[in-house]
Amino acid sequence: MSITFGTSDLLEYNARYSVLICRECKYAIQKSALGSHLLRHKIYRGERQRLLSSIAQLELVEPDDVQLPPVSLSPVEGLPVISGYRCTAIGCESLCASSKRMRRHWSENHGVSDPPESCARSVNLQTFFRGTKIKYFEVASPGQLVTGQEIVAHQHSLNRVPTPASILPLGPRCNLDLETLRYFHHFTTTTSLTLPARNGEPVKYWQMDVVAQALRLRWLTCGLLAISASHLAALLDDETTKRVHRERSAQFLQEFSAGWGEVLRDPSVARLEEAKAGAQMHCIQCCCHWTSEIPALSQGLIPGPAPFDLQSFTTTVQGCIDPNFALRSAVSSDDVPEETWIRATTDSGGSSDAGVSGNVPPALLYRFRILPYRMAEALEKPDNALDFVSTLSAIDTLVECFSLSYASDDVGAVWTGMASWLRMLGDRFNQMVLHKSPAALIVLAHWLLLVERAERYCWFLRGSAMKLLRQITGELPDDSAAQRLVGDLIGSTFGH
């Protein structure tokens, strides 16, 4: 039912949604803006008061309280229909009016800076309100109308998540059922695009190379599914659903860990490639555990990662992008034969000769330019000239890595810039870090600016930079100039 008001039926009341639509402007008017809107249409004094008195008898809901129509309905009369996009990520389906806004949505909400064409599907959109109250809803075009039962079934199939009752019992092997295929689909279409690859091509490496290996080996498939389930948990706000995905991840991890342990005990060249893929998955899963607790870990059902600290984090970060490094770290930390794999995984990665990129924010470049002077004021004169030279070299290398990180806004560049610094450090500086030298810890704290930047693109790192920054602060003398120099990063740069 609709009621019209004003000269030429300017306003139309839609009783179904309790909104008042201006037929000339083609959008709904908020109750608080009615008087000014009528003035805009040159409706003055007496007539305006009569209209306002009549409209006051109607039930008008606020923009946030309007019940949006289901997809099955035809367009709302009086509102324009525009072409738009619906997100295809599992459990999301956000609506955007442009492909540019949809790409931004994937970057901000799914951690994918360069989404594939399949990230969204074309739909017809309408909105009741404009300005800051825009809230798009999808409408069916002629020929696309479906029954209520069909739309309910469709929405159920899209949004259904595993419930505690449908989770398979923990055991040595978990069935690959239809729910499992959802995780596999999510990995190939979404999660794979968020993971770092050394060659800068996550689509080819994670979506094709690793998936091809995993499809031949059940334990690798379970590792892939565990990462996918953790990713889904990281994307959601509802704690109940997050817990379901984490529990599912723990189930997959149980079988992955069994297969991974078996491979570590059999270091043959024939199993080298699967071992490297498993080592890389293990590093990513460690990061997942550090940023969100998985119930099975605390129950001792699967091996947990190393405690979250500076050394374990920096080692794991390198392993996430470098399968050779990940495997060498794994065999050197376990009581397993290692000669075969150590010889076969010689690190071919070298340092970068990139110059300073013009994309690095000037404020950051200035911070590094004056950092040696600020450190000289805050610290005592170094006992060894080599420590001084190593510290300056580490700062120069860090500027190079910022150039790598800011070369582009994709996960590959951002991760490479962050991880490269760890690989390019000299032995002298690494020893300074190991002995908790204040100079080394201050430079390391500034490296965390790259970690903080990576958190915006890598969902499994979120919160790591601040945790480590607080650990570094705790290693410095209380109320010292060095601690204040590091603490300055918390308020001025990290923005937490």
Side-chain angles (χ1 to χ4, degrees):
M1 184 185 83
S2 63
I3 306 171
T4 57
F5 299 89
T7 306
S8 302
D9 294 332
L10 176 69
L11 304 175
E12 179 178 343
Y13 176 68
N14 187 310
R16 179 168 190 170
Y17 301 106
S18 300
V19 295
L20 190 67
I21 298 174
C22 177
R23 301 177 67 179
E24 184 174 322
C25 297
K26 299 186 183 303
Y27 62 84
I29 313 301
Q30 295 184 58
K31 187 186 301 185
S32 59
L34 278 172
S36 59
H37 193 84
L38 292 175
L39 281 174
R40 186 183 308 170
H41 288 286
K42 299 182 179 179
I43 299 176
Y44 302 110
R45 295 189 178 179
E47 184 181 359
R48 186 173 75 249
Q49 290 301 322
R50 285 193 297 273
L51 282 174
L52 291 174
S53 297
S54 300
I55 294 171
Q57 308 303 314
L58 304 174
E59 179 189 2
L60 294 179
V61 298
E62 295 298 326
D64 293 337
D65 298 326
V66 175
Q67 295 296 315
L68 301 181
V71 182
S72 58
L73 295 186
S74 56
V76 176
E77 188 176 348
L79 302 177
V81 178
I82 64 172
S83 298
Y85 301 90
R86 178 179 285 274
C87 179
T88 56
I90 296 176
C92 179
E93 297 196 324
S94 293
L95 300 170
C96 299
S98 68
S99 57
K100 179 179 180 180
R101 183 65 189 87
M102 180 57 71
R103 287 194 296 271
R104 191 188 314 158
H105 162 78
W106 270 74
S107 176
E108 295 174 351
N109 295 275
H110 301 306
V112 178
S113 56
D114 187 21
E117 292 184 5
S118 59
C119 72
R121 60 180 176 86
S122 299
V123 293
N124 295 315
L125 301 178
Q126 287 186 303
T127 177
F128 284 111
F129 299 92
R130 300 285 180 86
T132 59
K133 297 300 182 180
I134 282 183
K135 186 183 293 184
Y136 292 112
F137 55 89
E138 182 181 348
V139 294
S141 59
Q144 292 182 324
L145 300 182
V146 295
T147 66
Q149 288 182 333
E150 289 174 324
I151 197 65
V152 168
H154 173 66
Q155 291 295 330
H156 179 71
S157 67
L158 287 175
N159 297 324
R160 185 166 55 96
V161 299
T163 62
S166 70
I167 291 180
L168 300 172
L170 286 174
R173 297 174 68 82
C174 49
N175 288 332
L176 300 181
D177 55 9
L178 292 178
E179 296 293 356
T180 301
L181 293 180
R182 290 183 64 252
Y183 290 116
F184 184 82
H185 175 264
H186 182 74
F187 183 91
T188 58
T189 60
T190 307
T191 305
S192 60
L193 303 178
T194 69
L195 303 178
R198 189 171 190 176
N199 58 8
E201 299 179 359
V203 174
K204 179 181 183 303
Y205 181 71
W206 285 104
Q207 198 175 60
M208 299 173 64
D209 298 348
V210 173
V211 168
Q213 286 188 68
L215 288 176
R216 296 193 297 269
L217 297 163
R218 181 186 175 95
W219 70 272
L220 267 184
T221 299
C222 287
L224 175 154
L225 296 172
I227 296 173
S228 177
S230 292
H231 185 212
L232 276 170
L235 294 176
L236 300 174
D237 294 324
D238 179 69
E239 285 301 323
T240 300
T241 308
K242 286 168 76 75
R243 184 173 63 253
V244 168
H245 288 310
R246 287 172 181 166
E247 291 173 349
R248 195 68 160 131
S249 178
Q251 290 180 319
F252 293 132
L253 274 176
Q254 187 179 9
E255 185 161 346
F256 167 82
S257 297
W260 171 231
E262 180 183 334
V263 171
L264 284 179
R265 291 188 293 271
D266 178 22
S268 61
V269 175
R271 306 192 72 174
L272 178 61
E273 291 305 313
E274 65 181 85
K276 289 196 289 186
Q280 202 168 1
M281 285 185 185
H282 177 72
C283 287
I284 291 174
Q285 289 161 358
C286 283
C287 291
C288 294
H289 296 166
W290 286 330
T291 54
S292 64
E293 292 297 325
I294 294 181
L297 289 177
S298 58
Q299 299 169 15
L301 296 174
I302 58 177
F308 182 83
D309 57 30
L310 194 56
Q311 183 177 356
S312 58
F313 178 78
T314 54
T315 301
T316 301
V317 161
Q318 294 181 77
C320 285
I321 197 171
D322 187 343
N324 289 332
F325 182 90
L327 183 55
R328 288 200 306 275
S329 298
V331 298
S332 63
S333 61
D334 288 275
D335 186 20
V336 296
E338 60 181 85
E339 292 82 3
T340 302
W341 282 344
I342 291 297
R343 289 197 302 270
T345 58
T346 301
D347 189 6
S348 60
S351 62
S352 169
D353 58 357
V356 177
S357 168
N359 295 330
V360 181
L364 281 178
L365 293 178
Y366 177 73
R367 174 182 285 273
F368 288 114
R369 192 177 302 122
I370 66 172
L371 182 58
Y373 303 100
R374 298 185 66 192
M375 291 175 63
E377 295 175 353
L379 304 175
E380 298 178 355
K381 183 178 179 180
D383 296 330
N384 193 307
L386 287 178
D387 290 352
F388 176 74
V389 173
S390 297
T391 301
L392 290 182
S393 176
I395 294 174
D396 289 341
T397 303
L398 189 55
V399 174
E400 292 182 27
C401 292
F402 268 88
S403 297
L404 291 173
S405 177
Y406 280 89
S408 66
D409 287 333
D410 65 73
V411 65
V414 171
W415 191 280
T416 298
M418 175 186 64
S420 292
W421 187 69
L422 300 172
R423 190 176 67 247
M424 296 160 68
L425 290 174
D427 291 338
R428 184 77 184 192
F429 187 83
N430 285 325
Q431 287 299 314
M432 292 173 64
V433 173
L434 187 62
H435 292 95
K436 300 177 181 177
S437 160
L441 293 179
I442 290 172
V443 178
L444 193 65
H446 283 74
W447 169 72
L448 294 178
L449 296 173
L450 285 177
V451 178
E452 192 267 345
R453 171 169 163 79
E455 289 181 17
R456 307 172 204 171
Y457 300 82
C458 303
W459 52 274
F460 51 90
L461 287 183
R462 290 172 188 163
S464 302
M466 182 56 71
K467 286 182 181 180
L468 289 174
L469 186 61
R470 287 174 175 150
Q471 286 188 12
I472 291 174
T473 303
E475 296 292 347
L476 297 170
D478 292 339
D479 197 28
S480 64
Q483 188 178 82
R484 289 192 294 273
L485 184 56
V486 172
D488 175 56
L489 289 171
I490 297 179
S492 64
T493 308
F494 281 63
H496 291 274

